[in-house]
Amino acid sequence: MKFKKVLFFCISALLLSFIGHAQNISITGRVTDETGLPVPGTTVTVKGTQTASMTDIDGNYQISAPSNATLVFTFIGYQNLEVAVNGRASLDARITSSSENLEEVVVVGYGTQKKSVVTGAISQVKGKDLEGQPVTRIEQTLQGRTSGVYVAANAGQPGSSATVRVRGITTLNNNDPLYVVDGIWVEQSAVQFINQYDIESVEVLKDASASVYGTRAANGVILITTKKGKAGKLTVSYNGFSGFSEESRRVGVLNATQYATLMNERSVNDGGGIIYADPASLGRGTDWQDVIFQNAFRESHDVNISGGTEASRFYASFSLVDQEGIVLPSISRYQRKTIRLNSDHKLSKYITFGQTATYSHEKNLGIGNTNSEFGGPLSSALNLDPLTPLVITDPAVAGQAPYGGANGQNGIFTNQQGQPYGISSLVTNEMANPLAYEASRQGNYGYADNLIGSAFLEIAPIDGLKLRTTAVGKLAYYGSQTFTPEYYFNNGPPGNNDINSLSRSTNTNFFWSVENTATYTKRFMDSHNVSVLLGQGAYVQEGEKGQTTTYRNLPIDSWQDASFNFDIPDPLDRLGSAYRGADKKTSSLFARLTYDYKERYLLQAFVRRDGSTQFGANNKFGNFPSVSAGWVPSKESFWPENNVVTQLKFRGSWGVSGNDQIGSFLYASIINGGYNYTYGSGSNTTIITGSTITTPPNPDLEWEETTKRNIAAEITLFRDLNLTIDLWKSKTTGILGTLPIPGYVGLSSPTANLGEVENKGIDFELGYRKTFGEVSVGLNGNISMFKNKVNTISPSLDFYTLAGVQSLVGEAQRVQVGHSVGAFYGYHHLGVFQNQAEIDAYVGADGSPIQPNAVPGDFKWKDVNADGQIDTDDREFLGKSLPSYTYGLSFNIEYKGFDLNVLGQGAAGNKIFNALRRLELSDSNFQTNALNRWSGEGTSNTYPRLTSEDPNGNFSRSSNFYLEDGDYFRIKTMQLGYSLPTDIIGKAGLTRARIYVMGENLFTFTKYTGFDPEIGGGNSVGIDRGYYPQARSYMLGVNLQF
Amino acid sequence: MYKSKILWSLAGLAMIAAACGEDFVTVEPKGSFFEENYYANEEQAFSGLVAVYDVLRKNSGGFENMITMLNAGSDDFFAGGGSSSDGNGIHGFDNFTINELTVPRSYFGDFYAGIARANILITKLPETNMDEAKKARFLAEARTLRAFYYFELVNLFGNIPLITAPVATADAYNIEQSTPEEVYAFIESELLASINDLPQTITANIELGRLSQGAAKSILGKAYLYQDKWAEAAAQFADVNGTPGTTSAYGYSLVSDFASLWSINNKFNSESILEVSHTNLSNAGWGNWGGGNDEGNSVNQMVGPRGLNFAAGHTIPTYVSGWSFNPVTLDLRNALLGDPRYEATIFDAPALLAAGELEATPDLPKGYDDADQDTGYFLKKFMPITSETSTGGGNAELNYRQNSYYIRLADTYLMEAEALMHTGNAGRAQQLLTAVRARVGLGAVPVTLEAIYNERRLELAGEGHRFFDLVRTGRTDVLVPYGFVKGKNEILPLPFQDISNTLLEQNPFY
């Protein structure tokens, strides 16, 4: 086919050279790629002639051609582009990469592979696609862009981590994937040091391809590769944006009039009197959400420099991210600065050396409690009554307790006019006036400094053999400084603090590893490609260590004056503590065989043996094998040449991987102190350390093993449409979990190899890219469905309970055999009794009423076991906490200098437990759905009568009353850019100048009534206690390149 | 040359591989011990014993303590607190809606934790290298504490498993319930076997808080009493009590000032038999609350009214505002009215407001912030004054240091008197009753069971005895108006999570 084309060109060129009469003119121009970068080495041919030229290092060319000629631009990996000259002397061209990305390379563990011969399920996100995107943490790059990966933000607090699940929930403990950044193993909680502009690519190993990382691979592996220098002219780029954020939605709560009306009604329902004589006179009252949500500023800057020679190349970058949160920005902010130097050098014909090095500094201001029923500004804003004024403006009130006067409290915060912030006497405990709370946390911050580096030395002594040693290190220093002034938030516990204190904590941890590999690659008889890898590694996470120092009773009141330099006289006011965790070490041996026959039949086998400190002598070592194979029919000789199915590959994999993410010494019977008792009296009073065993030992503790199976088809249709379908299944056995033991054993639950969890699902990925004239269009979509099921827990257990919600009776979630992990569990209401007749008619098998004590307006509870009464046995499963499917869709279009890209993402099939109202503080404000409460026959069948006594358990039972659909779809980002014409910017020495506007979280479609349907939360996902919602941001940015 | 390079590299690989063998992936714990090496000497054995004592603090430490819970279950106190759902367990026990989900697991599990700690210590002590006499004492203390924890459990839950040795994880779900009779038989035999190895009295100040023979005998007497073994009970109490009104052979005598029993400066007084220690020295914070290293008295924090607003120039001490748990019922208030013990027992907010000690404000019309089940009357025995508030680290709420009594002499006087009424020795019973009344300046009343019951209620009000007294004497009629169901609510339901998947059967009607 290709040959035919060439032949055609040659012949026509020959012919045309005789025909051509038009006047030759000199044409100059510049060739760039879709990102505006120059493409040196592009061949420029005058169509139909043998006249050709090539672009220089800046992408510039010069050619002589007839004024009516057509120029053809060709470059490997890019589509041929033909442009008519039409008499122009200057002609810029933009070439786009070929849709048949057969030569694309994918990073796999310990090396790279051509995409065409990959046999594992690996999703890739390219750094190029992230350019200019508002990414603060690496997890965000995966959301919506990769199939089979569920990503949900843990909080909208800038810099917060996300919950990432690769293909379901494989275990009942730590489900976080392993991150490997340039060979460095990093926990999910610590990957924030990466500057997104440094990312060359992110690969997600979803199936047995992850088994390469043995002990740590059960939850999938995310490989991050940073950029390398490019030889040639020095390139300097600047990327930056700035903008602002605002809250995208609020939770509807009652205003003062509504609140007073409902409180009156509740009091009457409970047999009391009217509390508020004239609710209407109270007006709207205080809207606490007005106070906490504020516009927040954000910006991001990156400068990177790349260059060098073929023998020695470097890439360096500097970046800055500064983002305020939308909740009380003065105490919610994230700042990060990074600096990176990557280089690689060819020392001799046989020896190559390379390194990466990064330093990052982060500073973090946090609002404290989020997603907690125990206070924090979000929870306070929803629960505080609307009657309490934000600020006490009446001097008479301000002059008496608690604000002032003889019984005035210490630690009352005031605004700049000296007026005290209002204190609720109705809603107390942890619920504090957000402005007072904000004032009490000024000057507090957390920080982290990371020093991360890797270096490799590669020796290629004979052709095909590579010996490589890689050493990596990651040193982290982090800590916090906190000043807690005297404060009086309210009269409940723990609403006040009489003694100020200043605290500083510093912590260190260090990870290092050494890996040695030998790879031998050989091609036999021009069709058999064989590669063998042997390797060994040692990985050490040194025990975290740190100390905290606290000084109390500082002779000052404000955080600005707080200092450790004060001479605090009483030694009891100078407190200190320190700790050192246990080392975690892994040692590994591994081997891989890769084989293909003409890239038609593909095979890969891998085996790894790991030893871990987390297990006792009985089970220190584990083996993790994997095998994968592929067949590419479209490369068979019998494959008919056609334009419909232009490429077809089938692949399958099987492999075992492990998980050792548990605490140290769980295999042993350990004696711990801290079970103390006090003896003596007066000055002899002494606390003596009591020591005992805490958990029963389990010497047989071993790895949990996840076996993953995957079959897939990769199809390219009409050359431009790529479709990948993966069917997968995984089964985890011997899950490491705490075996809940009954209280009569008297010890805490031991960790044991418990039951078995199964996941299965389908991932679809679709990619389309095509250029129509001057319009180029790209479309990517993915959708993943998965099901999760607990097969067994242990021989003695059918289920165990997960989190409950403060003051709600019974757990909200369970792990139970036959159900998905963390499914919601509780009572099931069947509507509201409208009248006594309905109560009387609701009878059991013996004809007696099931809920004889109910009154109209109470919930009718489902008698699940049909025993004629409602008790704890009448609870059932009420829905899933994990989505059944997640999906993402991105679209981009380019026309002339303009480009638009949109990323949408969503999840569906899960429920959210709305636990935003603090039940036990009975005067907490209600959400607006309470306006739809039952207040007489026919008024409501979904919201019961208001009562604080609540004898029917309408509110105090964990039930489907609190569950809402969690489905959502969100336009995650939208970006519109314009690249200035090169002839204009060229004069300023620029090779590229693009400006863009961008929005993040512009639209969210959901029925959920809380702040945000996207709620992560680790292993107990699905309970919304007041998540910090995702912000909506508007940004303006530029990309410049010199 | 190539060959030597390869060999060199392979040799290097082999060496590193060897270095990464079993030793490389073995680490030793720091700051804790492996069990097989522990309990080796006296210091370690004592530390193991202290962990058994630790559970005694259940009486008055932590939100889920015995005193406020048992008070709420009686007719003398409500649950109270911030709202009707501020503590589902305590409210459920107050109105007897408690069920297997709302019953706090700690009332079950904490005592069993003490039992487990005793079990391992008792198993290990024979091998400990230490003085034999001291070893015998340690063993007696561990066995006595274990017996006492079983006594608490059998009263709270009735039908419980009797576990007397460490449980292997594999057996955790294969344990059966014992009958109350079997548990009591164990308690009796353990105490009888231990008493003689305990010191007759505790003399060294630094040992105050450790068990003496008097304490063990009182527990044994109480165990007999609860089984209606009147003669055996009376015999044990007689040893402890001696001649009413004088100092007994074990050194016990009634203190003269009733109110001083609740002073933080009068710990381990002559009336104290089984006393629970608290201190502010642990600087407990919220993270420690109710755990092994929280040494504070939580009843102190819980029972005071919320938002007390003292008038300027008030004359009574400034009591600390609390969380208004255990408001006093009008039943008890009226029963105590006119009694000399009223002042030390009840904080009478309406009277204090009327006397101008408290001051009303528009926000606080009662001079304090009324909360759930407010009656105006609070349990003063445990209300601290501001000078007793800890100024050390941690949270002041969690660092009150008043000790509490499981058993004090007035209690054993009245228990002996009760037993004697059943054995027909009314004479000594009268002396015992009269001695208790005389201490607070009350004249003698003719001794009857009713009179003794009534004296117990007034003397021991708010100390957590009333509920068990009503149940064991079958006088639960007075609880019925509070929701008590006879034949069911005498014992608590076993916690759902502690019987799920086990051989245990739930208590009747739960």
Side-chain angles (χ1 to χ4, degrees):
Chain A
M1 168 94 189
K2 234 171 198 161
F3 173 71
K4 276 184 190 163
K5 233 181 208 168
V6 174
L7 200 66
F8 172 78
F9 284 137
C10 291
I11 294 168
S12 41
L14 203 66
L15 290 172
L16 283 168
S17 62
F18 290 108
I19 303 164
H21 290 294
Q23 183 74 38
N24 273 11
I25 56 171
S26 174
I27 305 162
T28 57
R30 190 161 173 271
V31 179
T32 55
D33 65 11
E34 52 279 65
T35 63
L37 293 172
V39 188
T42 308
T43 308
V44 187
T45 323
V46 181
K47 191 172 179 178
T49 74
Q50 285 176 311
T51 313
S53 173
M54 193 173 274
T55 57
D56 65 12
I57 197 103
D58 295 326
N60 295 323
Y61 72 92
Q62 185 181 6
I63 198 166
S64 180
S67 57
N68 64 346
T70 296
L71 297 186
V72 183
F73 299 87
T74 48
F75 189 77
I76 287 174
Y78 286 78
Q79 292 176 334
N80 289 358
L81 177 68
E82 297 187 6
V83 184
V85 175
N86 289 337
R88 287 176 289 180
S90 169
L91 187 60
D92 289 345
R94 175 182 257 208
I95 57 177
T96 52
S97 51
S98 162
S99 58
E100 288 178 62
N101 293 324
L102 294 186
E103 295 305 301
E104 265 185 50
V105 162
V106 172
V107 181
V108 297
Y110 307 105
T112 55
Q113 252 190 319
K114 281 200 291 183
K115 199 171 184 181
S116 56
V117 297
V118 166
T119 47
I122 300 174
S123 285
Q124 186 182 47
V125 177
K126 290 193 165 168
K128 215 169 56 182
D129 298 333
L130 304 175
E131 192 171 70
Q133 295 290 332
V135 172
T136 308
R137 277 183 72 104
I138 192 76
E139 298 101 306
Q140 293 163 278
T141 63
L142 305 171
Q143 193 174 36
R145 291 189 178 93
T146 46
S147 68
V149 183
Y150 164 70
V151 181
N154 286 339
Q157 160 82 23
S160 291
S161 64
T163 298
V164 178
R165 298 289 172 256
V166 177
R167 290 190 167 175
I169 300 278
T170 58
T171 174
L172 303 173
N173 57 70
N174 190 336
N175 275 292
D176 294 340
L178 171 69
Y179 291 77
V180 180
V181 183
D182 295 324
I184 307 164
W185 292 11
V186 186
E187 307 286 335
Q188 164 139 342
S189 56
V191 292
Q192 76 284 6
F193 62 83
I194 300 164
N195 164 22
Q196 63 144 317
Y197 294 99
D198 292 342
I199 297 171
E200 177 68 32
S201 72
V202 181
E203 267 86 5
V204 186
L205 311 183
K206 297 185 286 190
D207 66 342
S209 55
S211 298
V212 171
Y213 290 93
T215 70
R216 293 290 307 278
N219 302 323
V221 176
I222 294 168
L223 300 174
I224 297 158
T225 311
T226 59
K227 285 178 180 161
K228 288 188 169 43
K230 283 195 180 113
K233 179 183 168 278
L234 197 67
T235 316
V236 181
S237 303
Y238 165 79
N239 301 288
F241 63 76
S242 71
F244 74 95
S245 310
E246 60 178 13
E247 84 271 21
S248 57
R249 40 197 260 137
R250 291 185 180 186
V251 175
V253 291
L254 304 185
N255 66 32
T257 300
Q258 293 166 332
Y259 175 82
T261 308
L262 265 60
M263 286 297 163
N264 281 343
E265 183 179 315
R266 187 176 76 174
S267 174
V268 171
N269 286 349
D270 286 339
I274 295 288
I275 305 168
Y276 304 100
D278 183 8
S281 68
L282 297 167
R284 302 192 56 77
T286 306
D287 183 343
W288 297 101
Q289 291 181 78
D290 274 351
V291 180
I292 62 164
F293 287 122
Q294 294 167 26
N295 281 353
F297 172 77
R298 69 187 286 190
E299 63 182 327
S300 161
H301 304 281
D302 166 77
V303 175
N304 61 60
I305 306 164
S306 161
T309 64
E310 286 300 331
S312 186
R313 299 173 294 173
F314 78 98
Y315 168 88
S317 77
F318 311 88
S319 79
L320 169 96
V321 169
D322 188 352
Q323 188 177 354
E324 287 178 338
I326 52 170
V327 178
L328 301 174
S330 85
I331 57 167
S332 177
R333 188 172 183 177
Y334 178 75
Q335 292 164 292
R336 183 187 65 207
K337 300 174 183 87
T338 69
I339 174 167
R340 171 177 288 274
L341 175 67
N342 291 356
S343 71
D344 47 283
H345 315 275
K346 213 164 169 58
L347 302 181
S348 77
K349 193 177 165 190
Y350 310 112
I351 303 173
T352 319
F353 166 79
Q355 60 72 229
T356 70
T358 306
Y359 166 71
S360 75
H361 173 75
E362 289 165 84
K363 188 176 175 188
N364 214 328
L365 315 186
I367 60 167
N369 258 346
T370 68
N371 193 32
S372 165
E373 54 264 62
F374 300 110
L378 286 156
S379 188
S380 296
L382 298 184
N383 282 292
L384 281 173
D385 59 274
L387 307 179
T388 301
L390 179 62
V391 176
I392 304 298
T393 50
D394 180 353
V397 177
Q400 43 172 267
Y403 305 107
N407 288 309
Q409 297 284 347
N410 291 330
I412 302 283
F413 292 96
T414 63
N415 64 9
Q416 286 177 342
Q417 288 79 46
Q419 297 167 322
Y421 292 127
I423 294 172
S424 174
S425 56
L426 296 167
V427 183
T428 60
N429 291 37
E430 296 88 348
M431 304 301 167
N433 184 319
L435 293 185
Y437 178 85
E438 182 183 28
S440 77
R441 295 180 67 88
Q442 291 297 318
N444 298 351
Y445 64 88
Y447 71 90
D449 289 293
N450 272 285
L451 277 165
I452 301 136
S454 67
F456 74 86
L457 182 70
E458 190 173 272
I459 305 169
I462 54 169
D463 196 29
L465 179 65
K466 284 179 179 170
L467 303 174
R468 186 180 170 109
T469 295
T470 310
V472 308
K474 176 178 182 296
L475 180 58
Y477 296 97
Y478 56 97
S480 61
Q481 177 146 326
T482 313
F483 175 69
T484 309
E486 279 182 65
Y487 61 77
Y488 183 88
F489 291 151
N490 58 53
N491 70 20
N496 46 68
N497 175 43
D498 293 335
I499 296 169
N500 69 26
S501 61
L502 179 65
S503 226
R504 180 184 292 161
S505 86
T506 54
N507 307 272
T508 315
N509 78 47
F510 180 51
F511 171 87
W512 64 264
S513 71
V514 177
E515 283 174 338
N516 298 294
T517 57
T519 319
Y520 184 71
T521 309
K522 180 85 179 164
R523 189 175 171 90
F524 297 99
M525 294 177 285
D526 217 22
S527 30
H528 302 274
N529 298 304
V530 179
S531 177
V532 177
L533 168 97
L534 293 173
Q536 169 274 334
Y539 312 84
V540 176
Q541 176 66 62
E542 282 192 354
E544 202 169 76
K545 52 182 179 276
Q547 50 271 315
T548 302
T549 304
T550 303
Y551 278 15
R552 304 167 69 247
N553 274 319
L554 276 71
I556 46 98
D557 292 321
S558 84
W559 65 274
Q560 291 97 331
D561 301 330
S563 165
F564 284 103
N565 296 337
F566 283 113
D567 189 354
I568 304 298
D570 186 346
L572 294 174
D573 282 335
R574 303 191 299 267
L575 309 167
S577 67
Y579 71 97
R580 164 76 154 88
D583 291 352
K584 291 183 178 180
K585 303 184 198 175
T586 308
S587 74
S588 309
L589 293 171
F590 48 89
R592 175 168 65 198
L593 169 73
T594 311
Y595 168 79
D596 73 70
Y597 173 73
K598 287 185 173 173
E599 301 192 355
R600 208 181 275 172
Y601 308 107
L602 320 166
L603 179 74
Q604 189 169 92
F606 196 100
V607 63
R608 183 169 180 129
R609 178 170 171 81
D610 280 341
S612 164
T613 49
Q614 304 312 94
F615 304 96
N618 295 6
N619 291 301
K620 250 195 194 320
F621 293 88
N623 297 322
F624 305 98
S626 65
V627 181
S628 58
W631 175 41
V632 188
S634 58
K635 291 212 168 171
E636 295 281 7
S637 52
F638 61 74
W639 190 256
E641 198 166 289
N642 68 78
N643 279 322
V644 182
V645 180
T646 44
Q647 197 222 332
L648 178 64
K649 177 165 92 178
F650 297 108
R651 55 179 164 79
S653 68
W654 171 93
V656 177
S657 47
N659 185 349
D660 69 349
Q661 292 302 288
I662 53 168
S664 296
F665 307 116
L666 294 173
Y667 58 87
S669 184
I670 293 285
I671 300 278
N672 281 311
Y675 304 91
N676 309 340
Y677 196 66
T678 310
Y679 299 92
S681 75
S683 59
N684 282 320
T685 306
T686 311
I687 303 173
I688 297 182
T689 298
S691 304
T692 191
I693 56 168
T694 24
T695 53
N698 185 359
D700 296 327
L701 204 64
E702 60 179 337
W703 316 90
E704 62 182 52
E705 283 191 349
T706 301
T707 306
K708 298 178 181 179
R709 293 175 176 82
N710 192 76
I711 54 166
E714 292 174 13
I715 308 159
T716 305
L717 297 167
F718 314 112
R719 301 191 177 281
D720 301 310
L721 186 65
N722 294 307
L723 180 66
T724 307
I725 306 164
D726 277 86
L727 288 170
W728 59 268
K729 201 171 175 178
S730 76
K731 188 186 270 188
T732 308
T733 53
I735 286 178
L736 289 164
T738 44
L739 172 72
I741 50 173
Y744 55 69
V745 177
L747 300 175
S748 358
S749 299
T751 298
N753 291 94
L754 299 174
E756 184 178 296
V757 167
E758 200 175 275
N759 289 276
K760 56 186 171 186
I762 308 176
D763 300 341
F764 288 98
E765 278 190 39
L766 183 88
Y768 177 73
R769 174 165 281 185
K770 180 116 181 146
T771 304
F772 305 93
E774 289 191 88
V775 180
S776 93
V777 178
L779 186 69
N780 286 288
N782 66 74
I783 181 164
S784 305
M785 283 165 255
F786 85 92
K787 270 189 186 161
N788 169 279
K789 190 161 78 101
V790 179
N791 286 346
T792 54
I793 291 179
S794 85
S796 51
L797 286 181
D798 294 331
F799 69 89
Y800 67 84
T801 59
L802 288 180
V805 175
Q806 165 81 348
S807 0
L808 279 185
V809 175
E811 68 276 20
Q813 290 176 305
R814 259 188 186 190
V815 174
Q816 182 158 335
V817 172
H819 295 269
S820 75
V821 173
F824 291 110
Y825 189 77
Y827 293 91
H828 189 157
H829 82 74
L830 302 167
V832 173
F833 286 122
Q834 299 298 327
N835 49 48
Q836 189 60 41
E838 288 187 15
I839 297 170
D840 298 339
Y842 187 43
V843 294
D846 64 352
S848 59
I850 293 172
Q851 290 175 249
N853 300 321
V855 300
D858 279 342
F859 273 139
K860 175 181 181 179
W861 299 111
K862 183 175 174 186
D863 184 12
V864 174
N865 64 356
D867 66 349
Q869 57 180 352
I870 302 299
D871 56 26
T872 51
D873 296 330
D874 292 308
R875 295 177 297 160
E876 63 178 10
F877 284 90
L878 301 170
K880 293 166 55 175
S881 58
L882 286 163
S884 309
Y885 55 99
T886 57
Y887 55 98
L889 198 65
S890 71
F891 170 73
N892 62 69
I893 183 164
E894 288 167 35
Y895 173 69
K896 296 200 168 161
F898 291 94
D899 62 89
L900 170 73
N901 70 66
V902 182
L903 173 69
Q905 153 281 317
N910 61 311
K911 301 269 186 202
I912 297 176
F913 193 103
N914 181 333
L916 296 173
R917 183 168 185 271
R918 174 90 173 256
L919 189 69
E920 138 242 10
L921 302 177
S922 63
D923 292 334
S924 292
N925 202 359
F926 285 92
Q927 290 157 52
T928 42
N929 57 357
L931 294 171
N932 178 38
R933 82 280 177 204
W934 188 92
S935 57
E937 195 163 338
T939 47
S940 175
N941 202 35
T942 52
Y943 201 109
R945 73 190 176 99
L946 297 176
T947 164
S948 81
E949 297 299 323
D950 198 16
N952 194 52
N954 297 334
F955 298 99
S956 63
R957 280 177 171 165
S958 177
S959 75
N960 58 331
F961 172 58
Y962 290 104
L963 293 179
E964 299 183 31
D965 282 341
D967 302 4
Y968 76 94
F969 175 69
R970 167 171 283 171
I971 302 293
K972 191 73 198 163
T973 58
M974 194 185 268
Q975 195 180 80
L976 177 65
Y978 176 67
S979 298
L980 275 66
T982 46
D983 50 340
I984 296 174
I985 60 169
K987 287 167 193 155
L990 285 158
T991 51
R992 185 185 179 212
R994 174 174 173 266
I995 55 169
Y996 61 91
V997 290
M998 174 167 59
E1000 189 182 26
N1001 297 325
L1002 290 180
F1003 310 102
T1004 301
F1005 305 94
T1006 183
K1007 285 183 188 160
Y1008 180 60
T1009 62
F1011 285 120
D1012 197 326
E1014 183 189 332
I1015 57 173
N1019 270 10
S1020 75
V1021 295
I1023 299 180
D1024 185 0
R1025 300 165 151 99
Y1027 271 86
Y1028 195 129
Q1030 300 284 302
R1032 180 189 289 154
S1033 302
Y1034 307 92
M1035 289 152 278
L1036 185 65
V1038 292
N1039 309 123
L1040 301 176
Q1041 186 174 304
F1042 299 90
Chain B
M1 186 200 161
Y2 291 156
K3 238 178 205 170
S4 72
K5 265 187 189 167
I6 299 167
L7 285 175
W8 222 88
S9 310
L10 286 178
L13 274 177
M15 275 171 65
I16 297 162
C20 299
E22 177 128 7
D23 283 352
F24 178 75
V25 287
T26 302
V27 289
E28 295 288 319
K30 295 271 194 295
S32 46
F33 302 88
F34 282 125
E35 182 215 305
E36 56 262 36
N37 309 326
Y38 204 70
Y39 303 103
N41 54 38
E42 181 184 331
E43 190 188 354
Q44 293 183 345
F46 186 55
S47 193
L49 178 62
V50 170
V52 187
Y53 271 101
D54 177 41
V55 177
L56 275 182
R57 261 187 303 99
K58 188 75 185 163
N59 194 44
S60 38
F63 181 76
E64 292 169 356
N65 61 74
M66 294 295 281
I67 289 179
T68 51
M69 182 72 168
L70 289 168
N71 283 346
S74 77
D75 56 339
D76 289 348
F77 299 89
F78 291 115
S83 74
S84 61
S85 51
D86 190 358
N88 279 317
I90 190 170
H91 279 275
F93 192 41
D94 181 27
N95 59 21
F96 299 106
T97 58
I98 196 160
N99 62 40
E100 60 184 1
L101 288 180
T102 56
V103 63
R105 290 183 71 192
S106 73
Y107 289 103
F108 190 73
D110 283 2
F111 288 117
Y112 272 112
I115 288 163
R117 295 173 201 174
N119 284 341
I120 184 146
L121 179 64
I122 291 164
T123 312
K124 290 279 189 172
L125 261 180
E127 306 301 319
T128 304
N129 181 20
M130 64 183 285
D131 175 73
E132 286 303 316
K134 278 185 178 170
K135 189 189 279 189
R137 180 181 174 190
F138 283 12
L139 190 63
E141 285 175 282
R143 291 173 75 176
T144 302
L145 288 167
R146 181 173 66 174
F148 178 66
Y149 298 150
Y150 269 119
F151 177 72
E152 295 291 279
L153 281 168
V154 78
N155 280 305
L156 285 168
F157 296 98
N159 306 295
I160 55 170
L162 181 61
I163 298 163
T164 57
V167 179
T169 308
D171 299 329
Y173 284 88
N174 302 323
I175 288 172
E176 297 193 32
Q177 268 157 316
S178 296
T179 62
E181 292 72 25
E182 288 165 338
V183 176
Y184 270 116
F186 177 75
I187 293 169
E188 288 174 17
S189 67
E190 285 291 293
L191 290 170
L192 287 168
S194 305
I195 288 171
N196 288 336
D197 288 331
L198 293 170
Q200 194 170 6
T201 54
I202 304 296
T203 44
N205 185 305
I206 188 62
E207 290 199 348
L208 291 173
R210 289 179 68 180
L211 293 175
S212 65
Q213 289 187 7
K217 280 177 157 289
S218 302
I219 297 166
L220 180 59
K222 207 170 164 179
Y224 285 136
L225 188 79
Y226 275 50
Q227 299 174 82
D228 298 349
K229 293 181 175 175
W230 309 116
E232 293 94 328
Q236 293 299 328
F237 289 131
D239 288 351
V240 174
N241 295 337
T243 307
T246 66
T247 301
S248 74
Y250 291 96
Y252 300 123
S253 63
L254 295 175
V255 300
S256 53
D257 177 7
F258 179 75
S260 75
L261 285 167
W262 294 281
S263 160
I264 59 166
N265 301 316
N266 199 20
K267 296 184 176 191
F268 302 106
N269 54 62
S270 64
E271 188 166 338
S272 163
I273 297 174
L274 184 55
E275 179 165 332
V276 177
S277 274
H278 290 290
T279 176
N280 57 355
L281 295 178
S282 75
N283 294 337
W286 294 107
N288 307 103
W289 198 21
N293 50 11
D294 157 25
E295 304 295 317
N297 181 329
S298 298
V299 181
N300 284 161
Q301 173 60 36
M302 288 173 71
V303 297
R306 292 180 184 230
L308 278 172
N309 190 37
F310 284 95
H314 60 91
T315 60
I316 61 164
T318 312
Y319 286 89
V320 179
S321 294
W323 301 339
S324 66
F325 281 91
N326 280 173
V328 178
T329 61
L330 291 181
D331 269 1
L332 177 67
R333 190 256 173 181
N334 293 336
L336 259 174
L337 205 57
D339 189 284
R341 288 164 291 202
Y342 185 88
E343 177 61 26
T345 307
I346 290 179
F347 182 86
D348 187 336
L352 293 171
L353 183 66
E357 297 280 349
L358 294 177
E359 184 177 291
T361 70
D363 255 11
L364 305 171
K366 296 179 176 177
Y368 64 96
D369 189 6
D370 65 338
D372 197 48
Q373 298 175 303
D374 183 52
T375 60
Y377 306 103
F378 298 90
L379 179 52
K380 196 173 173 185
K381 280 179 178 174
F382 294 103
M383 278 175 59
I385 56 177
T386 38
S387 62
E388 295 170 10
T389 304
S390 171
T391 54
N395 295 88
E397 292 95 327
L398 309 183
N399 288 293
Y400 288 103
R401 58 185 188 275
Q402 182 187 329
N403 285 1
S404 69
Y405 308 101
Y406 262 114
I407 303 176
R408 61 182 171 94
L409 194 62
D411 185 9
T412 54
Y413 270 27
L414 293 171
M415 286 195 283
E416 187 190 350
E418 186 183 330
L420 292 173
M421 291 305 286
H422 289 282
T423 58
N425 186 350
R428 183 172 157 84
Q430 179 74 62
Q431 287 174 12
L432 289 160
L433 175 64
T434 304
V436 171
R437 289 179 62 82
R439 185 259 298 271
V440 292
L442 288 169
V445 293
V447 68
T448 60
L449 271 178
E450 267 318 307
I452 295 167
Y453 293 154
N454 189 51
E455 204 61 43
R456 280 188 72 77
R457 184 185 191 189
L458 304 183
E459 170 70 24
L460 302 170
E463 296 177 53
H465 298 285
R466 174 79 173 166
F467 176 80
F468 286 150
D469 281 343
L470 293 175
V471 168
R472 73 182 170 82
T473 57
R475 292 175 295 139
T476 50
D477 284 344
V478 296
L479 294 175
V480 170
Y482 295 94
F484 187 91
V485 178
K486 290 191 180 191
K488 172 185 175 183
N489 290 129
E490 286 81 2
I491 47 177
L492 292 171
L494 295 163
F496 180 74
Q497 294 187 60
D498 294 316
I499 60 170
S500 297
N501 305 307
T502 73
L503 303 178
L504 268 57
E505 277 182 40
Q506 185 52 279
N507 284 328
F509 308 109
Y510 280 110

